[in-house]
Amino acid sequence: MKKIGIGIVCMAALLMTGCGADLPDMTDEEINTIGEYAAITLLKYDVNARSRLVDASVLEELQNIPEPELPSVPEQKPEPEPEPEPATEVPVVDNSVAGEMTAESLESFLELPEGVNLSFTEYEVCQSYQEDNQYFSLDASEGKELLVLHFTLRNASGSDQSINMLARRDKYRVTVNGSSTRNALPTLLTNDLTTYKGTLGNGASEDVVLVIELSPEELTNVTSITINFKNELNAYTIQAL
């Protein structure tokens, strides 16, 4: 019986190995027990098949033999998956040009001749603006009103000065009450600051304007006016009101 049991255990080990399972370590006593159990089990099935030729008491004795406890196989814990390596940050190349320079004054921004200055004087809200020489007028679009900003261009240089704002590429942005911002309108007015061109005599002054268009609600209560002058190289901001 012992030889049969050892043979059966070996066969079982081969089968288990073929299935990819690890054969647990067992003592000689456990091997003998499993071998006897396997042999008895084979005899039980064989006896059941030939129960008419076997003594009933032998059959009952074989069927009542308790099954031996099999050694427990330690649970194999899955190996932890390696943590992914942190992604390498790709450096961001900033190709933007450094911030623009701020001019020391409005005159330096506009590159006015020495002795010529420009200062804000007043504003008016209207539906239509007519310049003093009566050459041109400007009407507001339907549902809009004009905000006309007046500046005084004065020549105190001691000689006549030629002024050409038309040749410049400046941008003028006006912000009302800190929220409503518009670009100055291009107009045909001869005293439009954005397109002014002429000779200013010594000691003379002239009224020039910037004009924007807003809704009546935005111009109901004007409490602040900010004007930003800007070009490709420079910038300057004044708080007109």
Side-chain angles (χ1 to χ4, degrees):
M1 178 69 73
K2 182 175 181 180
K3 293 182 179 179
I4 296 176
I6 295 174
I8 294 173
V9 170
C10 293
M11 292 178 62
L14 290 173
L15 292 174
M16 292 175 67
T17 303
C19 295
D22 293 333
L23 183 64
D25 295 332
M26 293 181 292
T27 64
D28 292 340
E29 183 179 353
E30 290 173 336
I31 294 175
N32 293 335
T33 303
I34 294 174
E36 292 178 0
Y37 171 71
I40 292 171
T41 301
L42 291 176
L43 289 175
K44 285 170 63 176
Y45 285 105
D46 187 54
V47 169
N48 286 333
R50 295 180 293 134
S51 59
R52 296 179 185 178
L53 304 178
V54 180
D55 188 288
S57 61
V58 176
L59 178 59
E60 183 178 355
E61 180 181 354
L62 291 175
Q63 291 177 339
N64 291 332
I65 295 176
E67 297 180 356
E69 295 183 1
L70 297 176
S72 59
V73 179
E75 181 181 356
Q76 294 183 352
K77 296 183 179 180
E79 295 182 0
E81 295 182 359
E83 296 184 0
E85 295 182 0
T88 303
E89 294 186 1
V90 179
V92 179
V93 179
D94 184 4
N95 292 321
S96 61
V97 180
E100 70 233 350
M101 297 178 60
T102 300
E104 295 180 357
S105 65
L106 181 56
E107 288 77 16
S108 63
F109 171 83
L110 295 174
E111 298 179 326
L112 295 175
E114 186 175 355
V116 176
N117 62 75
L118 180 71
S119 59
F120 174 78
T121 53
E122 62 178 354
Y123 76 91
E124 64 176 304
V125 177
C126 55
Q127 284 288 332
S128 179
Y129 172 72
Q130 178 76 50
E131 61 180 327
D132 294 338
N133 55 25
Q134 304 295 314
Y135 289 151
F136 297 101
S137 64
L138 181 65
D139 298 327
S141 303
E142 184 177 354
K144 301 289 184 179
E145 290 184 343
L146 300 177
L147 176 65
V148 183
L149 306 176
H150 292 266
F151 297 81
T152 298
L153 184 63
R154 182 177 286 105
N155 178 13
S157 66
S159 61
D160 295 349
Q161 297 293 340
S162 177
I163 310 297
N164 186 0
M165 305 299 295
L166 183 61
R168 299 177 58 83
R169 294 185 178 182
D170 300 327
K171 293 182 180 180
Y172 306 80
R173 290 177 66 82
V174 180
T175 301
V176 178
N177 295 339
S179 58
S180 302
T181 301
R182 298 290 187 278
N183 291 322
L185 295 174
T187 74
L188 295 177
L189 300 171
T190 58
N191 66 335
D192 188 334
L193 176 60
T194 65
T195 58
Y196 178 83
K197 183 178 181 180
T199 299
L200 193 62
N202 179 40
S205 62
E206 189 164 343
D207 177 65
V208 289
V209 298
L210 290 176
V211 184
I212 66 169
E213 199 173 50
L214 291 172
S215 66
E217 293 78 16
E218 292 172 303
L219 295 173
T220 298
N221 182 26
V222 178
T223 58
S224 69
I225 299 175
T226 304
I227 308 169
N228 178 255
F229 302 81
K230 184 177 181 181
N231 56 33
E232 294 179 354
L233 301 176
N234 235 333
Y236 192 78
T237 300
I238 65 171
Q239 191 67 42
L241 185 64

